[in-house]
Amino acid sequence: MNGERPPGPNLPEALTRLLRAPKSAIWPTPEDRNRLRLGPQKPREPSRAVLGVWLWAILYNLIGFAILATLWRTMH
């Protein structure tokens, strides 16, 4: 309480530093408008491998259900 300012950022910067968006922000900020964009410009489409896994899972479950239904029918 001797009239000196406490160490660290001053109050306005401490209140506004969280409002500045990081580089990984979804929305562009005024500082980002002139920044070079290096990554892909459009959303990525799922690869064919993901589609193959989904098809395999569906077929696996359908074949398993068919086997269980056949076993159930032969028991009754």
Side-chain angles (χ1 to χ4, degrees):
M1 296 287 176
N2 55 4
E4 295 179 10
R5 296 181 68 145
N10 58 15
L11 188 59
E13 182 183 349
L15 292 175
T16 60
R17 72 179 166 86
L18 296 176
L19 296 176
R20 282 187 245 126
K23 290 183 180 179
S24 62
I26 301 171
W27 58 90
T29 60
E31 295 89 15
D32 292 337
R33 287 192 183 128
N34 297 324
R35 190 167 50 123
L36 190 63
R37 301 195 198 302
L38 300 176
Q41 297 297 318
K42 58 183 178 179
R44 295 183 310 158
E45 295 179 5
S47 68
R48 294 180 69 186
V50 174
L51 180 62
V53 169
W54 275 105
L55 287 175
W56 175 83
I58 291 170
L59 288 174
Y60 184 84
N61 284 312
L62 287 176
I63 291 171
F65 180 74
I67 291 171
L68 289 175
T70 303
L71 288 173
W72 180 266
R73 193 170 41 167
T74 56
M75 287 173 39
H76 290 297

